[in-house]
Structures are given as C-alpha cells and as structure tokens.
Amino acid sequence: MFRFDRRLLQSFDWVMLVAVLIVALLGLLNLYSAASLHKGFGTSVFIKQIYYYLLGFLAIMAILMVDYKVLTKWSYPLYVMTIFLLLAALFFGSEVAGTQRWINLGFFRLQPSEPAKLMLVIILASYYYRKDTGAGFTFKELIIPMGLTIVPFALIVKQPDLGTAMMMIIIFVSMTLFVKLKWSTLATLAGIGLSFVPLVWLFYLKPYQRQRILTFFNPESDPLGSGYHIAQSKIAVGSGATFGKGYMQGTQAQLDFLPERHTDFAFSVWAEEWGFVGSLFFLACYFFIILWGLNIALTARDKFGVLLAFGIVALIFWQAFINLGMVLGLLPVVGMPLPLFSYGGSSLLTTLAAIGILMNIRMRRFMTGS
C-alpha cells in the first residue's frame, strides 16, 4: 500500500499540476478583484481561499502516496460516512438564508454535499468495475447504483440545494452510459426519468426553484427580482467587449451591481475585466484540464482507473458547463460554483482531492494491475 517505487516520481503528472496552478492563480487574481469592494470582507475571503488552496495541494500530495485501487475496498465505508455527514448537516447544520447545508466545525464550515459528489463517483466506479461483464448492464443490475444515487440526492434536495442534487443524477447518468447498457435498459430508464419530470415539478420543487426555471425562459419578465442575477451577469459579460475594462475596473463588480460575484458569478467578473480575449485564454486553460483528464482515463492501467478518471472528468466538466451556461444566461440559475475558480472551501478542497486522484491514476499507469 505504501510501497515506494522510483518510477512514481518519474511519472509524476507535472502537466496536470502546472495546468491547475495556472487556473488557481487566475482564480485568486479574480477573487481579489471581486471581493475588494468591501474592506476587510474582501481581504478575509481572499486569504481564506489561499489557505484552502494550500490545504488542497497538501491533500493532493497525501493522495498520491496511496494506490488509488484501495478505493475499491474503502468505497462503501466512505459512502456511509458521507451519508452520515449529510444527515448531520440536515439535522444539526447551520441555517443560512433558509437552507441547511453546512456543518460548523469552528475553524471551517463543511458543506458535505460537495464531497458527496466525489464519493458518488468513487462508489459507482467501484460498483461498475466489479460487476461489469462487458455484455451491458440490465435494469435489474442498475437497481443498486440507482439506490446509491437516490439516497444522497434526496438528502441534498431536503437542504434544499437543487443544483448539487441534480449533479448527483448527472453523474449517475454519465457514468452509467459510459459503462454500456442494453437498449431495453436505456429505454426503461428514459421512460422512468421522463415520467418523473412532471411529478418533480408539481410536488418536489419549491416555488422559488420553479420561478428560477420560468425566469430562465423569460428573464426580462422580472429584471429586479428573480431575473436580476441573470440580467446583471449578461451585462457584465457583454460590457467586457474584446479586451475588457481592465483589472479591478469592472463597473458591474466594483459598483456592487453583480450579486454572488466571488462564488457562482465569478466568471462574470473575469469576462467584464478581461473581455472576450481574456475569457478565451481562461477557457483554453480550463478545458485543457478536462482534456488532460480524459487522456488520463484513456491511458489508465485498469478498468477501475478508467471509470474513476472518467467520472471525475464528468464531475468537473458538468459543473463548469452548468456554471458557464448559467452565467451566460443559457441555463437557469441553480447555485453552481465554477470548480477551482469560485470561492468556497468545501468545493475547492473536493475538486483538488479529485485532481489528486487523477494524478494518482496517471502516475501508476505503468504498473500491472488486476
């Protein structure tokens, strides 16, 4: 388990590390500007994010010391621990703005739904690795992974946190389609999913969540209410034009028009200050990490590594896709941070832990595995 092999050092994934460092530096640069409006508050947020990055990179080093294959043995205990944390947040967590998502540890407010996303990737990869026969999964064989997904999904919906809950479904769908299904299974799943849409709309979504979706189709209907976030974000992105307004010169962010500018709408600040060219540069750096992650999945030494790497890439990609779509007014506002870029300890530490697992898979690609 802790056996040292000098080939591990030779195979260290410098490419991923440098790419993540570049995005981290861009994120910190953006956060300093986004949080600078409120004296003291901004400084506190910026310094906290630096601490989170340092902790995250230490976590990456720790993860690299252990062969990722141990996750096949520890996936269920870790999953149970995650469920307990979600229950603790629900019954004993801190309430903020009508939601109950955090556990106050004194020095840190943990949001268990963030590591729950990574935990779902790990346990699904472990299950599909052990059960896959290559013939395609039947509906009966999917009952267990569906149950493993529904439990955290239901607990996160109760918080309520619709965006993160939907990510659990997206992770399940992405990984399940990747491992191959029988056509009959796919048709059954599609039928069940579609039949649940009206029930979820009528009985599960809260009124403000339904309003967010309706606002997405007609944001001009309530520009000072439910459509305010989208409207201000689109103004920020559009006013950046080709080269942007300059660092810390964005009026939408610096004059306090843009809400949640250091979390969900961090990219709006970047687009306003650095324009189309700067946004293109950032997205190129960001999606290089996604492509490199896919390369890690393709070159992994075993099927578990392939599934794990693919699940992690899907987790980061879909969160980025939803956040950017939300910022540009192409998707409803659901409260989704941009991984590695938005402020937030639980989200950042979870993403860096996921990056650590990817680097772990890359480092051990030369080893023969079962």
Side-chain angles (χ1 to χ4, degrees):
M1 181 174 168
F2 294 101
R3 185 179 59 186
F4 176 76
D5 189 324
R6 64 183 177 82
R7 291 176 297 176
L8 292 176
L9 289 179
Q10 294 169 352
S11 302
F12 185 82
D13 194 352
W14 292 103
V15 175
M16 177 62 86
L17 182 64
V18 170
V20 170
L21 281 173
I22 290 173
V23 172
L25 289 173
L26 296 179
L28 284 172
L29 192 69
N30 191 65
L31 179 62
Y32 187 81
S33 173
S36 64
L37 179 62
H38 303 291
K39 189 177 179 181
F41 167 77
T43 304
S44 170
V45 168
F46 180 71
I47 291 175
K48 278 184 182 176
Q49 189 78 338
I50 291 176
Y51 283 139
Y52 295 147
Y53 268 116
L54 291 176
L55 279 174
F57 283 113
L58 285 175
I60 288 178
M61 293 302 116
I63 288 169
L64 294 181
M65 300 293 288
V66 184
D67 192 329
Y68 65 90
K69 286 294 291 288
V70 301
L71 291 173
T72 57
K73 299 176 182 174
W74 283 94
S75 58
Y76 279 96
L78 290 172
Y79 176 84
V80 172
M81 189 186 303
T82 306
I83 296 302
F84 273 115
L85 287 174
L86 288 171
L87 286 168
L90 202 56
F91 290 107
F92 311 110
S94 310
E95 185 171 336
V96 178
T99 63
Q100 200 148 347
R101 305 174 185 172
W102 295 271
I103 300 173
N104 193 345
L105 302 176
F107 61 95
F108 179 68
R109 285 204 313 163
L110 174 67
Q111 187 177 356
S113 57
E114 289 296 333
K117 291 183 283 192
L118 178 59
M119 195 57 248
L120 183 63
V121 169
I122 293 171
I123 200 160
L124 289 180
S126 176
Y127 177 85
Y128 289 137
Y129 165 66
R130 288 183 284 105
K131 300 294 183 181
D132 189 13
T133 60
F137 282 87
T138 63
F139 182 76
K140 185 179 177 183
E141 290 169 326
L142 290 182
I143 290 176
I144 290 178
M146 281 194 290
L148 293 170
T149 305
I150 288 171
V151 173
F153 168 83
L155 293 174
I156 293 169
V157 166
K158 290 290 289 181
Q159 292 180 350
D161 184 353
L162 182 63
T164 304
M166 289 307 301
M167 268 308 301
M168 309 303 276
I169 302 297
I170 292 172
I171 291 168
F172 168 75
V173 171
S174 299
M175 294 188 68
T176 303
L177 289 177
F178 183 72
V179 294
K180 188 179 176 182
L181 298 177
K182 291 182 182 294
W183 282 107
S184 58
T185 307
L186 189 60
T188 305
L189 284 177
I192 293 174
L194 290 174
S195 65
F196 267 95
V197 170
L199 296 176
V200 170
W201 177 267
L202 290 173
F203 303 111
Y204 225 64
L205 291 185
K206 294 183 179 299
Y208 79 90
Q209 292 171 329
R210 287 197 290 267
Q211 185 58 46
R212 281 183 178 182
I213 295 172
L214 292 172
T215 300
F216 162 67
F217 292 106
N218 187 16
E220 287 75 21
S221 64
D222 190 12
L224 297 178
S226 57
Y228 185 77
H229 288 61
I230 292 179
Q232 297 304 318
S233 176
K234 288 167 74 174
I235 291 171
V237 173
S239 63
T242 305
F243 296 105
K245 294 177 178 175
Y247 186 55
M248 299 183 74
Q249 300 300 314
T251 51
Q252 285 297 105
Q254 302 302 327
L255 298 181
D256 209 11
F257 288 113
L258 184 65
E260 309 295 341
R261 57 190 172 278
H262 60 295
T263 53
D264 296 347
F265 289 89
F267 182 74
S268 307
V269 178
W270 180 270
E272 184 183 25
E273 296 185 349
W274 299 92
F276 177 75
V277 174
S279 299
L280 209 57
F281 172 73
F282 169 76
L283 292 175
C285 295
Y286 199 91
F287 282 97
F288 176 80
I289 294 176
I290 304 289
L291 292 175
W292 190 253
L294 286 176
N295 177 265
I296 291 173
L298 289 172
T299 57
R301 75 181 190 203
D302 54 29
K303 194 154 191 171
F304 179 62
V306 173
L307 291 168
L308 192 56
F310 176 82
I312 289 172
V313 171
L315 170 63
I316 298 173
F317 170 79
W318 283 116
Q319 288 184 102
F321 180 84
I322 293 170
N323 177 274
L324 294 173
M326 184 179 79
V327 163
L328 298 175
L330 302 175
L331 290 173
V333 176
V334 291
M336 181 72 67
L338 183 57
L340 293 175
F341 196 69
S342 297
Y343 170 75
S346 299
S347 170
L348 182 57
L349 291 173
T350 300
T351 306
L352 288 174
I355 294 290
I357 295 173
L358 279 178
M359 293 173 68
N360 192 322
I361 296 170
R362 177 74 177 176
M363 283 176 65
R364 289 174 169 81
R365 69 189 185 282
F366 57 83
M367 293 181 170
T368 55
S370 57

